[in-house]
Amino acid sequence: MSLHKINKSPFFAPQPPRSHILTTPGGSISRLKDDDEEPKSSLRGATFNLINAIVGAGIVGIPFAISQCSLVLGVGMILFFAILTIKSLRLLIETAKHVDVSSYERLAEVGFGPSGFVFISVAMFIMSYGAMVGYLMIVKENLSILLGVDESDVYMSRAVLTISR
């Protein structure tokens, strides 16, 4: 048995090589030249995006979660969910290799059709938008304190938020 043999998946059939015509769920069509590839992020860019996602959400949520459930249980839960995250990422990567796709959105499209592509795109937008709103609220509260704005002065607090964006 060869080491490079890919087992048949009961969920996905291996995809034929990609054509040089790209279509989106909206129906737009574009042609790729032979030397063009789907744009990819660099290792540095992907690393910084991952660090931003982990540190950004964790810096706000993890201390509160640990304070609510004790240090031992909190650290145990972090380790448990870290293991689950690693397992799910490895499953996504193996499935993407099996069906020869290079992006999360395309993987959802292969698995669930155009509605999967749209669902994942909307979910990613909502997550990014929610994070942006959360960060703006944190900056608003902390920046007004840092600049010495009185909490009862609502108009000045709003002006600080406008300046901070």
Side-chain angles (χ1 to χ4, degrees), residues 1-123:
M1 191 162 134
S2 171
L3 292 175
H4 298 289
K5 184 179 177 190
I6 298 176
N7 295 332
K8 296 272 186 190
S9 169
F11 303 109
F12 298 105
Q15 297 293 310
R18 291 188 201 155
S19 68
H20 292 288
I21 299 175
L22 297 177
T23 59
T24 63
S28 63
I29 298 174
S30 65
R31 291 189 177 275
L32 287 178
K33 298 177 186 171
D34 287 337
D35 57 348
D36 285 347
E37 288 187 19
E38 187 173 324
K40 295 182 181 178
S41 148
S42 67
L43 178 62
R44 182 176 175 222
T47 302
F48 281 115
N49 281 337
L50 183 62
I51 290 171
N52 185 27
I54 292 169
V55 173
I59 207 102
V60 175
I62 289 177
F64 175 74
I66 289 178
S67 73
Q68 295 298 307
C69 65
S70 82
L71 181 63
V72 175
L73 186 60
V75 171
M77 287 177 58
I78 289 171
L79 292 175
F80 175 72
F81 285 110
I83 291 168
L84 286 178
T85 301
I86 291 169
K87 179 68 176 167
S88 67
L89 286 175
R90 288 183 185 212
L91 285 171
L92 282 170
I93 290 168
E94 288 301 318
T95 305
K97 285 180 182 178
H98 184 72
V99 295
D100 191 35
V101 296
S102 60
S103 71
Y104 186 57
E105 297 90 346
R106 290 214 19 144
L107 183 61
E109 186 175 17
V110 168
F112 301 105
S115 60
F117 180 88
V118 171
F119 177 79
I120 290 298
S121 297
V122 169

Side-chain angles (χ1 to χ4, degrees), residues 134-150:
Y135 288 135
L136 279 175
M137 291 172 64
I138 291 169
V139 166
K140 176 193 174 277
E141 287 186 23
N142 292 326
L143 195 59
S144 61
I145 293 169
L146 182 66
L147 295 176
V149 175
D150 187 23

